[in-house]
Amino acid sequence: MKKKLITLSLIFAVFSVLIAGCTFGREEEDNYLDAPVVQVKDQLFPQVFFRKYEGVKYLSVYRCEYDAGKKKIDTVNVGIVYPSNHAGEECRFQDRFFVEGTSYTYYGRFVMNNGEEYVTAESEVVKLTERATGAAYKEHNSPNVEYKKSDEAVYFLYDPAQKTLTVKDGEINQPVVAAEADSANITNRMILSHGNKRLAYEIGGLAENDTVHLISMVISDFPYGGKFTYKGLVCEYREKDANGKTLYISWSNMFAKVQLKDDSDRIYNEFDIDPLNVQNGLDYN
């Protein structure tokens, strides 16, 4: 890598100062890798291009939202890129869940094979105000890019003995991101935190009575169990190459409007998994 690199812990030490004084995106300083380049061709999905580096395991992509006064109001983890699966000197991320009429910048966190982490500078701002027309894109609009509950009462029934979560009193509907042909690329993930880790675990459907089995989901990552906190749901779009290798993963904003309750109506957000001798989660830090 040609630029001076510093580890993520040191970056975070100065990150709050940068946020407090930022204008419209972070300045590209020597402490950051090259900023990604964002392209929007014919007002379709934003394409975010990152420079490739040697020894990268994966790249987490973040999207920053700015208000009309150019103030940063939110930063969201929106996906993962696997640079080794991309040809050439760049790797591409496609944001399938952006909201129209909103000002965004993008940046990345490179996670190396040796465990080190490096952050890029923020991109230039991008804002899409009009969508392309046609069957593939007509349903992609601001109201459709997050989950919806079929009824306000929908919740997850938590079984403390079996460590399961079951959808009750309705269903949870997925976001719409493109044409029906893309449905095979869409899955649901549940965000759980454990200590200082936050992971996105693939789950099945979210129709009424669909069940998430927590033990089998997390135990390969955490064989000693422990305390887990439920954060919410993200919808995942996964693009693969002709050989079936994942190029990138794009996530919706986290949906945290579904409560966890047991059969006595007690509300949960934490649960314990006992140690078992039995790597499914993707990095959502």
Side-chain angles (χ1 to χ4, degrees):
M1 301 180 185
K2 294 181 180 179
K3 287 196 161 227
K4 173 185 172 185
L5 302 181
I6 62 174
T7 58
L8 192 61
S9 59
L10 183 55
I11 290 172
F12 282 168
V14 299
F15 194 58
S16 59
V17 176
L18 293 169
I19 290 176
C22 73
T23 54
F24 213 59
R26 192 166 51 206
E27 293 295 329
E28 186 174 349
E29 301 177 359
D30 287 343
N31 290 338
Y32 297 101
L33 303 183
D34 292 337
V37 175
V38 183
Q39 297 179 1
V40 183
K41 183 179 179 181
D42 299 327
Q43 293 289 291
L44 303 182
F45 299 106
Q47 310 278 347
V48 187
F49 293 89
F50 292 89
R51 178 181 169 186
K52 288 173 64 175
Y53 297 96
E54 295 294 330
V56 175
K57 185 176 182 181
Y58 61 88
L59 163 66
S60 290
V61 182
Y62 299 86
R63 186 181 66 204
C64 305
E65 180 180 343
Y66 288 84
D67 64 15
K70 300 184 180 181
K71 178 182 178 182
K72 184 184 294 185
I73 57 177
D74 197 16
T75 299
V76 180
N77 187 337
V78 291
I80 291 180
V81 180
Y82 296 93
S84 63
N85 295 339
H86 293 248
E89 297 182 355
E90 292 182 318
C91 52
R92 176 181 64 93
F93 170 77
Q94 189 177 67
D95 187 0
R96 309 286 292 205
F97 298 96
F98 71 94
V99 175
E100 297 165 81
T102 304
S103 296
Y104 293 128
T105 62
Y106 295 84
Y107 72 94
R109 173 171 61 98
F110 284 90
V111 179
M112 315 303 288
N113 289 323
N114 63 7
E116 293 180 349
E117 301 181 357
Y118 302 103
V119 177
T120 75
E122 282 180 30
S123 71
E124 296 295 326
V125 69
V126 61
K127 182 177 181 179
L128 276 72
T129 56
E130 295 180 3
R131 296 292 300 155
T133 58
Y137 302 99
K138 65 180 181 180
E139 291 186 293
H140 185 289
N141 52 53
S142 302
N144 289 338
V145 296
E146 70 170 22
Y147 286 99
K148 291 183 175 63
K149 297 191 293 185
S150 63
D151 188 277
E152 189 59 33
V154 174
Y155 70 100
F156 282 116
L157 176 64
Y158 175 55
D159 185 330
Q162 300 299 318
K163 306 298 183 185
T164 57
L165 299 173
T166 303
V167 181
K168 292 294 182 182
D169 288 354
E171 62 183 3
I172 304 167
N173 300 313
Q174 285 182 331
V176 176
V177 294
E180 284 299 315
D182 283 336
S183 60
N185 299 335
I186 297 293
T187 56
N188 303 306
R189 284 192 178 258
M190 179 173 287
I191 308 302
L192 301 178
S193 66
H194 178 82
N196 63 353
K197 294 183 180 294
R198 180 180 286 196
L199 300 174
Y201 286 99
E202 184 173 347
I203 59 177
L206 292 168
E208 185 160 15
N209 295 320
D210 281 347
T211 298
V212 177
H213 297 271
L214 296 169
I215 293 177
S216 60
M217 189 168 73
V218 306
I219 208 64
S220 61
D221 287 317
F222 303 102
Y224 298 105
K227 186 179 294 295
F228 295 81
T229 302
Y230 165 80
K231 295 295 185 181
L233 302 169
V234 294
C235 185
E236 174 179 296
Y237 177 91
R238 183 179 294 244
E239 182 166 307
K240 299 180 180 180
D241 66 12
N243 298 316
K245 293 182 178 180
T246 298
L247 296 173
Y248 70 84
I249 290 167
S250 180
W251 285 323
S252 64
N253 283 8
M254 188 167 64
F255 185 75
K257 299 178 181 178
V258 184
Q259 289 185 326
L260 275 58
K261 299 190 293 186
D262 64 14
D263 55 10
S264 63
D265 262 0
R266 177 184 173 187
I267 296 176
Y268 285 77
N269 70 336
E270 292 186 339
F271 44 85
D272 291 308
I273 301 291
D274 295 328
L276 291 174
N277 293 318
V278 286
Q279 184 155 21
N280 295 323
L282 294 176
D283 181 353
Y284 196 75
N285 279 336

